[in-house]
Amino acid sequence: MAFERETLQSLLDRTYSNYMSLLKPLDKTPRYNLMKVLAYTEGGDVHQLLGDLSFLSGQIFPDTASGEYLRAHWSDRVPPLYASAATGKAIQSGVPGSSVPKGLVYSSESGKRYYTSRSYTIGETGSAEVWVTAEESGTESNLDAGSRLSVVSALTAGLDSSAKVSESGIAGGVDSETDEEYLARVQTALRNTTRYGKPGDFSAWAADSSSEVTKAFEIPNFGVFGSLLIQCIHGNQIDGIEQVHDLAKIQSYIEQYAPCVIFTVATPELVEIKPSIHLFEGEDTVSNRNLVLQRLKVYLNAKAEPGCTITQATLQSAITDGVTISKAMLSLPGGEVSTTVLQYPVLGEVSWS
C-alpha cells in the first residue's frame, strides 16, 4: 500500500455517492435515519484517514517500513544493491580469419540472450574465445560450462551458427536484493555507525559492495604476510550456496573505505557433507525425512564457516528432538568433515538406510 492523496473532486464525488446510496432520495417511499447515514459516511472517511496515518507512521522506522519507503529513507546512508548481468566466455568456431562482429547476439536453450561487446577474429585453430554479456540481469542468465548457444542475429560469413560456453561458464548474474536483505544491511549500519577497520567492518563492506555477496567471513593472519582474508558466499544453506564471481569489484569497493591494511577477497571452495541417516521404525516417514533435511540446513546456516569442523555427533543432536524424531543414527565418513579457511561446508546428498 502506498499513500496517495485523492483530488478534491474525487473526494466530493465519493462522499456524494455515499450519501445517495444510503439516503436513497429517489425511492418512492424513502425510509432512513438521517443521523445514522451521517455517522456511516463520516465514519468511513475518518477510517480512511486513520488507515493512511497508520501506514505512514509505520514508514518512520526501518523494521516496519515498506520497501519503497525503506529505500527512500536510507539510500543516502546504505545504497541499495540492484541486479547485475552475467558475463563469461563462449567458444565460437568458424573459418580461420573470419570476423566475430561486435554486437553478435546469442540465445541459450532457455531463451536468454547474450551479446558481444567487441569484435574478435577466428584463430588458426578454427575457434575463438569471445566475451559475452547477458541482455537481462539476474541469476537466470547464468550458464554452466558446455551449454549451447545459438546465433540469433545476422550471421557473418565463415562463422558457425552455434557456440558453446567455455569452462569458466557464464556467471555473475544476480538478482537485486530483497526488502529483507536490504533491511538487514540497514540494521547493521544502524548498530555499527562507525567503520574504521575493526572486526566485522570488512565483512560489512563486502556485503555492501554487491548483491552477489550474501555473507562474508573475516579470517585474520592469512598467508605468509599475515594478511586479512575475506571469504564471500552467495545464498544460504536453506536455499543453496554459490560461489561469488566478481571478486575484483568487491576488492575495489572495500579499498575505497578500508584503512591501509593488506587484505584479500576470495570465495571458498564448497565442500559437500554427505551424511548417512537411519530413522527408526515408525518415524521413517516422508515428512520426517523432510524435517531432518530442514534441520540440517538450519544448523549449517547458523554454524558453518570457512575452517570449521562439522562432526556427526553435532549433526545427530541437531536432527533429534525426543518427540517427533526421538532417535536417529547419523554417520559421516571419518566421523567428521573438516574444512580449511579456503573451504566452506554445504549439505550434499543424504543417503537413507
Side-chain angles (χ1 to χ4, degrees), residues 90-106 116 118-130 132 148-164:
I91 301 175
Q92 174 66 60
S93 56
V95 178
S98 300
S99 175
V100 181
K102 175 182 178 180
L104 186 67
V105 181
Y106 297 92
T116 57
R118 53 167 291 231
S119 59
Y120 299 85
T121 302
I122 301 296
E124 296 180 355
T125 58
S127 64
E129 277 193 336
V130 299
V132 295
R148 185 174 178 275
L149 295 173
S150 301
V151 179
V152 294
S153 60
L155 187 62
T156 304
L159 297 183
D160 292 345
S161 60
S162 63
K164 67 176 182 179

Side-chain angles (χ1 to χ4, degrees), residues 194-244:
T194 57
R195 295 181 186 174
Y196 51 85
K198 64 182 181 297
D201 287 353
F202 283 87
S203 58
W205 281 323
D208 288 344
S209 66
S210 169
S211 55
E212 194 178 8
V213 180
T214 305
K215 194 173 185 180
F217 304 89
E218 298 178 3
I219 295 95
N221 302 320
F222 173 73
V224 294
F225 298 107
S227 64
L228 177 67
L229 174 64
I230 307 169
Q231 290 281 37
C232 303
I233 59 172
H234 174 69
N236 55 64
Q237 296 279 359
I238 299 172
D239 300 319
I241 297 288
E242 296 178 354
Q243 290 182 307
V244 175

Side-chain angles (χ1 to χ4, degrees), residues 1 11 27 49 54 69 77 93-95 115-117 120 123 145 147 164 171 186 189 243 255 274 278 286 295 347-348:
M1 172 185 175
L11 289 170
D27 287 358
L49 292 174
S54 176
Y69 285 85
R77 293 180 56 183
S93 56
V95 178
Y115 63 91
T116 57
S117 56
Y120 299 85
S147 299
K164 67 176 182 179
V186 169
Q243 290 182 307
E255 288 174 351
K274 299 180 179 180
H278 172 74
V286 174
R295 287 176 176 175
L347 184 63

Side-chain angles (χ1 to χ4, degrees), residues 53-272:
L53 290 174
S54 176
F55 170 78
L56 290 175
S57 65
Q59 310 313 310
I60 299 174
F61 307 101
D63 53 347
T64 56
S66 61
E68 177 185 352
Y69 285 85
L70 178 65
R71 288 169 173 79
H73 286 316
W74 298 98
S75 58
D76 58 334
R77 293 180 56 183
V78 184
L81 299 175
Y82 300 101
S84 61
T87 59
K89 292 181 179 180
I91 301 175
Q92 174 66 60
S93 56
V95 178
S98 300
S99 175
V100 181
K102 175 182 178 180
L104 186 67
V105 181
Y106 297 92
S107 177
S108 67
E109 294 180 350
S110 62
K112 297 299 181 181
R113 293 161 64 95
Y114 307 82
Y115 63 91
T116 57
S117 56
R118 53 167 291 231
S119 59
Y120 299 85
T121 302
I122 301 296
E124 296 180 355
T125 58
S127 64
E129 277 193 336
V130 299
W131 276 98
V132 295
T133 303
E135 190 175 66
E136 298 178 0
S137 300
T139 57
E140 292 185 356
S141 295
N142 294 332
L143 289 178
D144 295 329
S147 299
R148 185 174 178 275
L149 295 173
S150 301
V151 179
V152 294
S153 60
L155 187 62
T156 304
L159 297 183
D160 292 345
S161 60
S162 63
K164 67 176 182 179
V165 179
S166 68
E167 294 181 355
S168 56
I170 296 177
V174 291
D175 301 323
S176 59
E177 63 183 342
T178 62
D179 292 347
E180 291 75 16
E181 291 170 339
Y182 182 66
L183 173 60
R185 293 201 302 118
V186 169
Q187 291 174 330
T188 300
L190 290 174
R191 298 187 187 104
N192 185 12
T193 56
T194 57
R195 295 181 186 174
Y196 51 85
K198 64 182 181 297
D201 287 353
F202 283 87
S203 58
W205 281 323
D208 288 344
S209 66
S210 169
S211 55
E212 194 178 8
V213 180
T214 305
K215 194 173 185 180
F217 304 89
E218 298 178 3
I219 295 95
N221 302 320
F222 173 73
V224 294
F225 298 107
S227 64
L228 177 67
L229 174 64
I230 307 169
Q231 290 281 37
C232 303
I233 59 172
H234 174 69
N236 55 64
Q237 296 279 359
I238 299 172
D239 300 319
I241 297 288
E242 296 178 354
Q243 290 182 307
V244 175
H245 295 85
D246 200 353
L247 300 177
K249 177 182 177 181
I250 303 167
Q251 179 93 20
S252 177
Y253 180 90
I254 297 177
E255 288 174 351
Q256 298 178 37
Y257 300 97
C260 296
V261 174
I262 300 176
F263 67 92
T264 303
V265 177
T267 188
E269 174 192 355
L270 302 181
V271 177
E272 291 188 343

